Amino acid sequence: HREGRLPGRQDWSSWPHYQAADAGFRGYWYPVCFSNQVGEKPRKVRLLGEELFVIRDRGRIFGMKDRCPHRGVPLSYGNKQFPGTVSCVYHGWTFDLETGDLAAAITDGPESPICGKVTQPTYDVEERLGMVWVYVGDGEEPDPIDEQLPEELVGNAAVLGQRIQPREGNWRFACENGYDEGHAKYLHRTALWRLFKPMPVWNKTKIVKRGRWIYRVQEQQFWEADFPGLGRWSGLGWWKARPPKETKNIGNTSSHREVNPVIAAQEFPGFASVSMPGVLRIAYPTFIHYEFYVPVDADQHLYVGVLADFRQGARTLPFYAKYLGAVRWLFHGQFSGQDKWMVEVTDAPPEKLYRPDDSLLQWRKLAEDTTEDRLDRLREQGLDPADPTA
Ligand code: FES
């Protein structure tokens, strides 16, 4: 039956919204930097091909389009002359950070008639998980960010190990790589991370949708396999003589550890899941690893890796020791570096797919259907999103 779902498509044209989303999907919150990287001076951000800047004013962070409407100079070269505003470096046009209204044109005096006649586009900005999140939409009221974040990260205390890294390559390749079933079995077989977290190999994976996530559910596992005429191949590293014991709920990703109660409560049907607008979630028994693939433009993305350990108080210390001492290098470094490399060298379709690529197809379908729903909602509100297939 699986072959029936894999028609061997040669390009992305069956998913026109996905195909059109070179520079990302609009209508979402994206993490752009760490909170402590934003101060009283503008910080330039490129997101979904748009130039903007973020700036902190009396504790709160604001976002604004980074092009002065006067003569097109980046506003991010400017600074704050008055509280709650930013002034362009060139002629001193001064914009209200909250509303975007031109509050003053310093070089034309306090009575300048241009004031009140120009409004600079602003962006909704929030701070979560120690990071700054920017909403890129089409004029609609954004959904609350907490409805977009992975559910378990809202309202549960967690210690976080994080990494934000600019990377080459289209964001879709990064997302597809993250969720790609086959590469976990093969590309990462040499990653040192697997000394600690062996990766079983599966066939007959099935993808199930629950809420806004799709999950890989492994139906059958093979640790060693005979390939007729080729000999024997094992997904296990040389250091593992036997497969680890099964654990409940989260597949066979680790041995015998007790499952953290926050993670157990989620009852994930599979250990690897993905959701819009390109968020990967890998649940281990005692922590969860997330990857947010943030489109900078069609050719670059931000890799945002977050490792969340749901514990509190003094028990957070061992986490930091472990993260800084080993995990940061092994996982966010070497393992993830293999992914970085593949995203750089993957080519755009045409492509020829095989059985494990069902994970890619189901992700593309999720993106396609979700986008269709969103555009319908915008049209109902009388908003006119640019034709995404144009
Ligand atoms: Fe910005 Fe003139 S270009 S004030």
Side-chain angles (χ1 to χ4, degrees):
H1 70 285
R2 289 172 54 91
E3 296 298 345
R5 285 196 281 149
L6 287 170
R9 293 185 174 107
Q10 298 288 308
D11 56 38
W12 284 343
S13 60
S14 300
W15 302 277
H17 296 308
Y18 191 68
Q19 185 175 28
D22 284 328
F25 282 110
R26 307 176 70 79
Y28 294 93
W29 295 92
Y30 292 97
V32 297
C33 62
F34 291 113
S35 280
N36 63 11
Q37 292 176 314
V38 181
E40 304 282 314
K41 292 218 176 309
R43 180 187 169 95
K44 221 173 166 39
V45 171
R46 187 165 163 80
L47 184 62
L48 275 69
E50 299 186 8
E51 305 288 347
L52 59 132
F53 68 89
V54 288
I55 188 170
R56 194 179 290 278
D57 181 68
R58 290 165 288 186
R60 205 176 130 199
I61 300 185
F62 297 86
M64 190 175 270
K65 180 177 172 179
D66 192 22
R67 183 186 185 279
C68 180
H70 178 216
R71 302 288 308 286
V73 162
L75 277 174
S76 55
Y77 290 129
N79 54 30
K80 280 204 294 190
Q81 294 287 353
F82 311 100
T85 67
V86 66
S87 298
C88 178
V89 70
Y90 203 1
H91 311 97
W93 283 29
T94 298
F95 299 91
D96 185 299
L97 290 171
E98 175 96 51
T99 63
D101 291 341
L102 181 64
I106 293 175
T107 47
D108 195 26
E111 304 294 321
S112 175
I114 187 85
C115 291
K117 299 211 179 87
V118 179
T119 300
Q120 179 72 344
T122 57
Y123 289 82
D124 289 289
V125 180
E126 293 277 7
E127 291 179 78
R128 292 289 188 286
L129 311 174
M131 298 187 289
V132 178
W133 301 68
V134 174
Y135 185 85
V136 182
D138 296 295
E140 74 277 23
E141 189 66 28
D143 287 335
I145 184 172
D146 291 342
E147 288 177 15
Q148 188 196 305
L149 290 174
E151 302 84 334
E152 65 282 0
L153 286 175
V154 181
N156 285 310
V159 281
L160 306 173
Q162 287 158 289
R163 180 175 200 203
I164 300 180
Q165 187 182 47
R167 291 187 175 180
E168 296 296 319
N170 188 261
W171 73 275
R172 284 172 300 200
F173 294 151
C175 185
E176 293 182 350
N177 169 77
Y179 198 53
D180 172 310
E181 182 185 340
H183 94 296
K185 298 173 183 174
Y186 195 74
L187 172 70
H188 292 315
R189 74 195 184 284
T190 55
L192 289 173
W193 172 250
R194 296 187 50 199
L195 276 166
F196 305 93
K197 301 287 167 200
M199 285 214 178
V201 288
W202 307 276
N203 58 6
K204 302 221 171 112
T205 297
K206 145 179 109 179
I207 309 287
V208 299
K209 184 165 187 288
R210 204 179 72 185
R212 54 203 170 86
W213 297 84
I214 54 170
Y215 297 82
R216 291 206 314 250
V217 179
Q218 284 74 43
E219 290 182 333
Q220 184 182 325
Q221 183 178 335
F222 67 93
W223 287 96
E224 292 182 65
D226 280 322
F227 292 85
L230 290 175
R232 179 152 274 242
W233 188 80
S234 167
L236 283 181
W238 52 267
W239 54 87
K240 288 277 171 188
R242 287 183 297 125
K245 288 188 199 126
E246 295 203 4
T247 44
K248 270 201 210 147
N249 280 341
I250 357 194
N252 304 312
T253 55
S254 193
S255 38
H256 38 274
R257 308 280 294 277
E258 251 181 53
V259 180
N260 173 284
V262 172
I263 298 173
Q266 308 303 317
E267 297 185 340
F268 297 128
F271 97 110
S273 49
V274 70
S275 73
M276 284 287 275
V279 182
L280 178 74
R281 172 171 66 190
I282 307 289
Y284 292 91
T286 58
F287 62 90
I288 301 182
H289 170 73
Y290 305 87
E291 293 186 2
F292 301 84
Y293 310 105
V294 180
V296 171
D297 53 30
D299 302 315
Q300 297 173 78
H301 64 283
L302 275 189
Y303 167 87
V304 178
V306 175
L307 210 148
D309 197 323
F310 297 90
R311 56 175 118 184
Q312 301 177 53
R315 295 170 64 216
T316 60
L317 287 175
F319 171 81
Y320 283 120
K322 196 167 131 191
Y323 180 75
L324 294 173
V327 174
R328 186 174 164 78
W329 182 75
L330 286 172
F331 191 79
H332 283 174
Q334 195 235 8
F335 180 97
S336 175
Q338 294 180 332
D339 290 327
K340 173 176 179 289
W341 174 36
M342 284 304 111
V343 173
E344 283 169 8
V345 298
T346 299
D347 196 10
E351 57 193 13
K352 189 107 189 137
L353 303 182
Y354 77 140
R355 194 164 66 172
D357 288 327
D358 197 31
S359 49
L360 300 194
L361 294 186
Q362 297 303 321
W363 150 246
R364 292 174 185 176
K365 185 173 183 315
L366 176 78
E368 192 66 18
D369 294 349
T370 313
T371 307
E372 193 61 59
D373 288 349
R374 172 176 181 265
L375 294 177
D376 283 347
R377 283 202 309 280
L378 286 186
R379 286 184 205 108
E380 275 168 26
Q381 292 169 30
L383 293 164
D384 183 23
D387 179 8
T389 58

